[in-house]
């Protein structure tokens, strides 16, 4: 299922949801990617400042991938500034 991510908090919630679906603890996931439980918790709570390499390792461990696409433009209303 594709989900649009618009914040670090939303990304963290998705990571947490996928980790729980796989019955994996924060500690186990952290060990799989070479970080400690605190780092996994930090990410799941949407704290900024996480390395992209760590995010990509977490996604891979959870059998997920990161996709990008151009943002769809929203129709402008007549009252737009």
């Amino acid at each position: 299922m594709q989900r649009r991510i618009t914040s670090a908090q939303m990304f963290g919630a998705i990571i947490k949801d996928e980790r729980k679906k796989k019955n994996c603890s924060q500690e186990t996931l952290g060990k799989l990617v070479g970080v400690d439980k605190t780092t996994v918790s930090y990410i799941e709570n949407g704290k900024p400042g996480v390395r992209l390499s760590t995010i990509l390792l977490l996604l891979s461990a959870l059998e997920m991938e990161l996709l990008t696409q151009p943002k769809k433009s929203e129709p402008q209303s007549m009252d737009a500034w």
Side-chain angles (χ1 to χ4, degrees), residues 36-49:
D36 59 21
K37 175 185 172 183
T38 304
T39 301
V40 176
S41 175
Y42 192 77
I43 293 166
E44 288 184 355
N45 286 303
K47 305 293 183 190

Side-chain angles (χ1 to χ4, degrees), residues 6-79:
T6 58
S7 68
Q9 292 79 14
M10 188 179 294
F11 177 79
I14 290 168
I15 292 296
K16 184 176 185 176
D17 182 52
E18 290 298 317
R19 176 181 59 78
K20 287 186 170 191
K21 284 181 186 176
K22 296 185 181 310
N23 294 315
C24 184
S25 69
Q26 289 179 336
E27 185 173 2
T28 300
L29 180 58
K31 286 181 181 179
L32 284 172
V33 301
V35 299
D36 59 21
K37 175 185 172 183
T38 304
T39 301
V40 176
S41 175
Y42 192 77
I43 293 166
E44 288 184 355
N45 286 303
K47 305 293 183 190
V50 178
R51 291 179 185 219
L52 179 59
S53 59
T54 302
I55 289 171
L56 295 174
L57 288 169
L58 282 173
L59 290 171
S60 179
L62 293 170
E63 299 176 341
M64 299 175 73
E65 60 185 0
L66 179 65
L67 303 172
T68 62
Q69 67 183 22
K71 187 174 182 178
K72 295 178 183 173
S73 60
E74 296 180 20
Q76 295 284 333
S77 75
M78 295 300 286
D79 297 331

